[in-house]
Amino acid sequence: MNCRIIFTLALMFVTITFNSCKKLVEIDGPATSLSSKNVYNNDATAIGAVTSLYVNLSNGSPTYPQELTGLSAIAGLSADEFDYYAGAQNQTLSVYYQNALNSLNIYSGFWETTYQRLYVVNEALEGLGVSSGLTPAVKQHLLGEAYFMRAFYYFYLVNLYGDVPLVLNTDYTINSLIKRSSKVLVYNQIVADLKAAQNLLSEGYLKSDGITTYPTGSEERVRPNQTAATALLARTYLFMKDFVNAEIQASLVLANTLQFQLEPLDKVFLKNNREAIWQLQPIGNGYNTQEARAFIIPDEGPSGFNPVYLSSELMNDFQPGDQRRNIWIGNVHANGTLYYYPYKYKIKAYATSITEYSTVMRLAELYLIRAESRAAQNKLGDAISDVDKIRGRAGLGLIHDTNPMISRNDLLSVIFKEKRIEFFTEWGHRWLDLKRTNTIDELMSKVTPKKSNGGAWKSYQQYYPIGSYELQSNPNLTQTPGY
């Protein structure tokens, strides 16, 4: 698709959704048509252009590989978190579940949509950079958000596809022929963008009227702020195995106790709770979250609309007494089978009031990032203290009390398992962690053959292929190795 058309469609989408997503985008668009040239000379339209990225994420379905929101189900199917209801007869989902993707059945996957979003980001960075008509504070915050979003998109692209084209401008003549860049270069760009975002963003959150609100404990957390940039930088350093910097960045987030703290399990996914670092606001269609609509199985059992349910591998990994199993998992008995489903988000039906927001990043991850980083540096006592924060909330015994002399490798195993249980069916954490810890081949060689119509696992399947249309459109783009 032509990138100018993509940008125009994004702006049209923002205009359409202004009235349905009040707190996030309650702005009246201009009477005349918008062009990329004048969008960034007006506070309202500039905010709206960047806001389109969040609106699209919020509108994405967890069971469709388009917006990255879909990773909560798609990556869970690829890994060992979800089973797939064969009666749904949905090839899009079944090929992810069976680890049977190829250039023809993947369609566009996450690739096409994410690069479309990156065009909007790069357009924003270019337009904001030369703009002279914006309020300075608005310009600075929007630049920070744009750098954050570019890093956010590339973090997932590099982890889903390996080496990927590094597109940093809107020159279609260049980008239509661009080659893949190495993962090292992509990660370096992610770090650079997040550092830029840290410097530009504040601890406050930009509102739709251009005013930045500062922490009160109950502020809307629906746009990235400085803490979100720091949290994603901590995660990025962890994936790069730079454990020193991962610990430093995670500690910066965890030190912000005025704004952030762990919540009780039944409050973690409520809107504006103090564990949330960044959430997505519903787009005004009368539903709280797309996750609840997709994951909560009705009494009659799985169907084409609710085709995924939790795997026995995941259910068997919960320890006795783990309250996350009781509070974050639901079940239904249908057609002689007991199905378990994610119940982190509990409001499935149309609602007159919104009480839950879809959570993209939350504080618990930073405790586990720091725990792993400290354990990797042999700071075992400090690492135990961090992981015990998560275990204690879940009602499990503290390592400090039960096994204070635990070895480094055993402690890392505990941390990885806590990450698996804490973040099941959230944004593909499990799928990405299996790859970065080099444990994916050992696990998936056992899991894939047990899936319905699953074949033998092949190591290259840890990265997704690129669709045939994208390959035909760019003669310099090569397929993911192995496919």
Side-chain angles (χ1 to χ4, degrees):
M1 183 181 291
N2 183 281
C3 290
R4 292 287 173 183
I5 296 174
I6 293 167
F7 184 71
T8 302
L9 290 175
L11 291 176
M12 289 172 61
F13 185 70
V14 172
T15 303
I16 291 168
T17 55
F18 277 155
N19 292 327
S20 64
C21 192
K22 292 183 178 179
K23 289 184 181 178
L24 185 59
V25 287
E26 52 182 8
I27 307 168
D28 293 327
T32 57
S33 62
L34 299 178
S35 72
S36 59
K37 198 168 185 179
N38 62 26
V39 162
Y40 297 101
N41 280 319
N42 175 282
D43 284 356
T45 55
I47 292 172
V50 176
T51 297
S52 72
L53 301 170
Y54 316 136
V55 173
N56 283 319
L57 280 174
S58 183
N59 195 40
S61 169
T63 54
Y64 192 75
Q66 185 177 31
E67 298 291 341
L68 290 176
T69 326
L71 285 172
S72 294
I74 301 300
L77 283 166
S78 294
D80 61 343
E81 292 184 314
F82 276 122
D83 279 336
Y84 167 71
Y85 177 61
Q89 297 182 340
N90 183 326
Q91 186 188 23
T92 300
L93 294 181
S94 64
V95 292
Y96 281 93
Y97 172 63
Q98 295 160 359
N99 305 113
L101 292 166
N102 58 52
S103 63
L104 296 177
N105 65 24
I106 196 173
Y107 307 109
S108 64
F110 297 103
W111 182 279
E112 181 182 9
T113 301
T114 304
Y115 274 106
Q116 289 174 6
R117 306 299 175 241
L118 279 166
Y119 182 86
V120 177
V121 170
N122 288 330
E123 179 83 37
L125 288 169
E126 292 173 2
L128 291 165
V130 298
S131 173
S132 59
L134 298 179
T135 303
V138 171
K139 177 178 178 177
Q140 178 173 322
H141 210 287
L142 289 178
L143 276 168
E145 289 187 25
Y147 278 116
F148 172 88
M149 289 305 296
R150 188 162 71 181
F152 176 80
Y153 285 123
Y154 272 117
F155 175 84
Y156 285 103
L157 280 174
V158 76
N159 278 286
L160 294 176
Y161 296 95
D163 298 345
V164 294
L166 193 56
V167 179
L168 303 177
N169 57 60
T170 60
D171 189 333
Y172 182 72
T173 60
I174 295 175
N175 297 336
S176 62
L177 298 173
I178 197 168
K179 299 179 180 180
R180 289 176 181 254
S181 294
S182 71
K183 288 186 285 186
V184 172
L185 290 177
V186 178
Y187 269 117
N188 287 342
Q189 185 63 51
I190 293 170
V191 170
D193 283 347
L194 289 173
K195 287 182 176 180
Q198 281 181 315
N199 291 330
L200 290 162
L201 295 168
S202 68
E203 292 182 5
Y205 292 85
L206 185 67
K207 293 171 60 180
S208 58
D209 57 9
I211 298 174
T212 303
T213 59
Y214 284 87
T216 64
S218 60
E219 62 277 351
E220 291 279 331
R221 302 169 181 224
V222 295
R223 303 184 78 101
N225 68 347
Q226 186 181 74
T227 301
T230 304
L232 185 54
L233 185 56
R235 183 198 294 177
T236 301
Y237 279 134
L238 181 73
F239 275 58
M240 296 172 71
K241 302 188 185 303
D242 185 344
F243 300 115
V244 172
N245 278 313
E247 179 187 4
I248 290 171
Q249 297 300 320
S251 295
L252 290 173
V253 176
L254 294 169
N256 188 356
T257 56
L258 172 67
Q259 196 173 5
F260 301 100
Q261 64 183 27
L262 291 179
E263 294 275 19
L265 292 175
D266 60 350
K267 294 183 178 180
V268 172
F269 300 96
L270 298 180
K271 69 175 186 179
N272 306 327
N273 75 84
R274 296 187 69 176
E275 183 167 334
I277 294 173
W278 178 30
Q279 297 182 305
L280 300 175
Q281 192 179 57
I283 60 173
N285 58 4
Y287 295 93
N288 277 243
T289 67
Q290 297 291 343
E291 287 91 342
R293 296 182 70 194
F295 292 158
I296 296 177
I297 300 175
D299 291 343
E300 55 269 24
S303 65
F305 189 79
N306 300 107
V308 299
Y309 55 95
L310 295 178
S311 69
S312 58
E313 285 83 6
L314 174 63
M315 296 303 301
N316 291 337
D317 269 355
F318 280 89
Q319 292 181 249
D322 193 329
Q323 293 305 303
R324 290 170 295 197
R325 193 184 193 281
N326 298 328
I327 297 174
W328 289 353
I329 291 178
N331 67 79
V332 61
H333 198 279
N335 303 315
T337 302
L338 183 62
Y339 296 98
Y340 293 96
Y341 58 83
Y343 198 43
K344 292 179 172 181
Y345 301 94
K346 305 183 186 304
I347 312 300
K348 179 182 178 72
Y350 183 93
T352 55
S353 62
I354 302 299
T355 58
E356 297 175 338
Y357 283 175
S358 178
T359 300
V360 187
M361 303 179 74
R362 56 188 179 92
L363 192 68
E365 182 186 357
L366 279 301
Y367 277 109
L368 294 177
I369 287 174
R370 192 169 71 175
E372 183 180 339
S373 300
R374 285 173 163 177
Q377 299 174 74
N378 284 308
K379 300 179 180 179
L380 301 188
D382 290 337
I384 288 171
S385 178
D386 282 335
V387 74
D388 274 350
K389 293 285 197 310
I390 306 303
R391 290 178 61 84
R393 179 174 69 172
L396 297 175
L398 303 184
I399 299 172
H400 179 270
D401 297 332
T402 61
N403 193 7
M405 303 305 292
I406 189 171
S407 70
R408 173 179 173 273
N409 287 341
D410 286 347
L411 179 56
L412 284 169
S413 295
V414 170
I415 294 168
F416 295 149
K417 187 170 183 178
E418 285 303 314
K419 181 78 176 294
R420 191 252 215 287
I421 297 300
E422 180 72 18
F423 289 97
F424 71 91
T425 69
E426 289 185 55
W427 283 88
H429 279 284
R430 172 68 167 174
W431 183 239
L432 304 193
D433 283 342
L434 287 172
K435 288 188 276 190
R436 72 174 179 85
T437 57
N438 296 317
T439 55
I440 192 166
D441 288 338
E442 179 182 0
L443 178 80
M444 295 306 297
S445 63
K446 301 173 184 176
V447 171
T448 300
K450 291 192 297 182
K451 296 181 177 182
S452 176
N453 296 317
W457 168 258
K458 302 175 183 62
S459 185
Y460 67 82
Q461 293 171 322
Q462 64 185 282
Y463 293 111
Y464 292 154
I466 302 172
S468 57
Y469 174 79
E470 285 74 25
L471 292 171
Q472 292 167 6
S473 300
N474 179 357
N476 292 327
L477 183 61
T478 55
Q479 180 59 279
T480 304
Y483 290 96

